[in-house]
Amino acid sequence: PRVVYIARDSRDEMNWTSWQRQRLVKNEDEVIKKLKEECEKRGIPFEDLHFYGEGLRKSFREQAVLASRGDILIGLHGAGLNVFLFLPPQSVVCEISLKMTEVQKNSANTAGMVDGGYVKVSVSKNKEQRLDAQSVTNIWEKGLAVSIKRWFELAGRPPQDAQTLLA
């Protein structure tokens, strides 16, 4: 499977609302690094997409094409995950949910309308808006690794294929 991570803009110069500020994760780069390392160890293609800053220069069509290359889409809870609509059939959406977004069911409801899977991993952050090392590990173990197993199921592949890949 090919993994696509949708990154969130957390630049300090942005004029965030209080709700948006609550959802920022200051060390998202550590999450991306961990997931990329775990995927590379297993020969799983991993791409992180940034549709902010310089990424804003990409047209909506370009963004859709980039997202459509994935079999598994992962990212923090938010509208950025809506590019799952451009994933191929039988893809998996993995939502990283912060405590304050636990009640939000948007991604689960909309991802459930397409021919694919949905995995949610819940994490918490400290007052500096950073995820601790255990949360970062949980995103791999309880989020992306579970999503990879789900993708193998949807593809009709034997469970041992996923187990071998993830070992």
Side-chain angles (χ1 to χ4, degrees), residues 78-90:
L81 289 180
N82 287 330
V83 295
F84 78 85
L85 293 168
F86 304 105
L87 295 175
Q90 301 173 337

Side-chain angles (χ1 to χ4, degrees), residues 29-46:
D29 56 327
E30 293 174 30
V31 174
I32 293 169
K33 181 180 177 200
K34 168 73 172 173
L35 298 178
K36 189 172 195 164
E37 287 172 358
E38 293 294 342
C39 285
E40 285 177 351
K41 278 196 279 190
R42 294 162 174 84
I44 299 170
F46 181 95

